[in-house]
Amino acid sequence: MDPRGVGGSSHLTCRGRSDTAYPSVGFPDTRRQVRDWLAFDTTVQRLCDRRIADHMSTADTARDMDLVRQALGDEQASFFGASYGSVLGATWVSMFPGTVRAAVVDSVLDPVAWTTGRDLPDGTPGSSLPISARLGSEVGSRDALEAGLAECDEAGRRACRLAGDALGRWDAVAARLRSDRAAARRVGLSYSDFVGTTLGMLYGGDLWYIAEFAFQAEKQLSRLAGRPTSDEPAAPDGTLGRTVREVRAELARSPYPGPYAAVAGRSRQQRLWFDGSTHGVMCSDSLNPTGTAAWSEAAERTRAAGGADFGPSWTWLSSACSAWPGSGEDAYRGPFTMPDAERLLIVSNRHDPATPLSGALALQQLMPGSRLVTTGDTGHVATGANRCATEVVRDVLRTAESPAEDVVCTREREPFTR
């Protein structure tokens, strides 16, 4: 079923007159960009329809699910949810444990981090950090990139033209685009587009394309400096920009779109239309700081704490939550527990760029007795992509019996074998 304000349900729309334009970047990096980003947030907050926004928490959807179960006359129900669906699954089994026949969650977000945040070692409340800066997504993205480009180096330049300190070369391209905006304009690729497009391709585990995209960007930047990286001509002008647009469009079509998917909305003649469904759920569920400075601080903290360029790209995703107009009164924020948790199957790729393995491990710790399936693959959502994991999921949903122990599935993708 579709959660409220999402999919086939009536969407949460934020529309009306506005002099504020859509941000020109995927995430802000300069003071001016931050100012424009926050101005857009203020507009969205003002224009969102509270009739829907007040009733979009995950708990609202879990209650809807139970009403559907009752209407069908079923004593129990089975559930499969991936990505954000893992939060819905963890909420549903915690609120209605007696109605659970079997539940499977794939690509798992830690529900405590999602809702209240986990307190820091120094006693600082977890809610003092924005929700998008406490999920570990930036660390998962960097881990997936590091693992993938290590494979590029191992494969060699015949299979991967970025080989030879591939990660260092990717970092150098990112640093150049960030520090030299004139060069970025000349090659038609902004810093945020380079980072965001890489993240989008990590969702699908498209490691060869990530390496090739970085290689082409490196060539064009080197040509500007008069230092070609090879005897091959640089990619024609516009190639990098087309790649950015294609990746964003592909993400928008995905059942699990990432933060860099094509914008769902438009702005024309001082009127704005924006799909607020993501914020409607995220901001209703979570406790967040009320001052916008927390997002600037968290962006740099996550950058320095292992997320590198992905830290800001994830952190700014939730900035509209600083003063979200919708109500969170009906939200469920724990405890996340389930008796007889053997009915719960948790699935995760080893290198997930959005929902790192740490989220799956956190949920398993919250629900002792649940079983964990891990794969060696890179990408977001294992079910349907890894045959071993898919078979386990099908068996659990068909029989309502989980494996006797955790399952480790081997990697099935070979990105540099073409």
Side-chain angles (χ1 to χ4, degrees):
M1 62 174 290
D2 290 324
R4 297 182 182 193
V6 178
S9 303
S10 296
H11 280 217
L12 173 62
T13 56
C14 312
R15 58 186 176 184
R17 293 187 61 83
S18 172
D19 294 327
T20 305
Y22 282 100
S24 60
V25 292
F27 60 89
D29 188 53
T30 67
R31 289 183 179 179
R32 180 175 180 177
Q33 290 170 357
V34 168
R35 185 171 64 249
D36 292 345
W37 187 277
L38 294 176
F40 182 75
D41 282 346
T42 300
T43 299
V44 168
Q45 292 160 352
R46 175 173 59 85
L47 296 178
C48 280
D49 185 350
R50 288 198 60 173
R51 292 173 299 175
I52 297 177
D54 280 345
H55 308 285
M56 284 188 65
S57 75
T58 298
D60 286 321
T61 300
R63 295 182 186 102
D64 291 344
M65 288 170 55
D66 193 59
L67 290 172
V68 170
R69 178 195 61 79
Q70 295 177 46
L72 293 173
D74 293 337
E75 292 186 5
Q76 293 185 315
S78 298
F79 175 89
F80 172 84
S83 196
Y84 158 73
S86 68
V87 177
L88 177 55
T91 301
W92 175 63
V93 302
S94 298
M95 292 178 67
F96 304 102
T99 69
V100 179
R101 174 182 173 271
V104 179
V105 290
D106 190 337
S107 297
V108 179
L109 291 158
D110 175 1
V112 176
W114 176 268
T115 53
T116 62
R118 294 179 179 273
D119 292 347
L120 304 183
D122 63 2
T124 302
S127 59
S128 66
L129 298 176
I131 176 178
S132 51
R134 61 193 191 218
L135 298 171
S137 298
E138 73 286 348
V139 176
S141 299
R142 182 66 181 187
D143 168 74
L145 181 67
E146 290 177 356
L149 294 186
E151 291 185 50
C152 168
D153 285 333
E154 186 176 343
R157 291 189 178 178
R158 282 193 172 186
C160 178
R161 296 197 290 179
L162 195 67
D165 189 21
L167 180 64
R169 293 169 71 178
W170 188 95
D171 284 340
V173 170
R176 175 77 185 280
L177 292 171
R178 186 185 185 202
S179 64
D180 190 346
R181 281 180 285 169
R185 285 193 295 271
R186 289 182 65 185
V187 300
L189 180 65
S190 71
Y191 166 64
S192 67
D193 279 347
F194 179 68
V195 175
T197 301
T198 298
L199 177 56
M201 289 189 280
L202 282 171
Y203 260 62
D206 300 323
L207 301 175
W208 185 88
Y209 290 101
I210 290 169
E212 184 65 14
F213 179 57
F215 176 78
Q216 294 292 349
E218 180 187 62
K219 278 204 305 182
Q220 292 207 27
L221 289 169
S222 296
R223 184 174 64 174
L224 291 181
R227 299 192 305 274
T229 56
S230 73
D231 294 331
E232 304 172 44
D237 289 344
T239 297
L240 299 174
R242 282 196 299 273
T243 299
V244 170
R245 291 189 295 274
E246 289 168 0
V247 169
R248 296 187 75 170
E250 184 65 26
L251 271 176
R253 291 190 292 268
S254 167
Y256 311 107
Y260 203 68
V263 173
R266 59 185 180 271
S267 180
R268 184 180 180 185
Q269 295 180 343
Q270 295 187 321
R271 292 194 66 82
L272 180 142
W273 185 96
F274 180 79
D275 185 340
S277 55
T278 296
H279 291 92
V281 177
M282 176 189 296
C283 301
S284 296
D285 280 353
S286 60
L287 301 180
N288 286 282
T290 55
T292 57
W295 274 263
S296 293
E297 294 167 3
E300 292 312 308
R301 185 193 65 81
T302 53
R303 180 192 293 278
D309 300 285
F310 298 110
S313 69
W314 280 107
T315 296
W316 284 104
L317 176 65
S318 68
S319 55
C321 293
S322 63
W324 187 247
S327 171
E329 290 182 3
D330 293 333
Y332 181 85
R333 301 191 176 111
F336 293 97
T337 58
M338 177 189 183
D340 303 320
E342 292 80 4
R343 294 170 291 166
L344 175 64
L345 183 72
I346 302 169
V347 185
S348 180
N349 285 327
R350 173 63 185 84
H351 302 291
D352 189 311
T355 54
L357 180 59
S358 58
L361 295 173
L363 181 59
Q364 188 179 38
Q365 187 174 23
L366 289 168
M367 300 193 177
S370 57
R371 296 290 179 259
L372 174 64
V373 178
T374 53
T375 84
D377 286 322
T378 296
H380 187 53
V381 184
T383 305
N386 183 283
R387 285 172 294 179
C388 165
T390 303
E391 288 175 3
V392 177
V393 169
R394 286 174 176 167
D395 286 345
V396 169
L397 292 176
R398 184 177 64 250
T399 67
E401 295 181 3
S402 291
E405 55 187 15
D406 292 348
V407 177
V408 177
C409 295
T410 59
R411 190 179 78 170
E412 296 180 356
R413 301 175 185 173
E414 296 294 339
F416 298 106
T417 301
R418 306 184 68 81

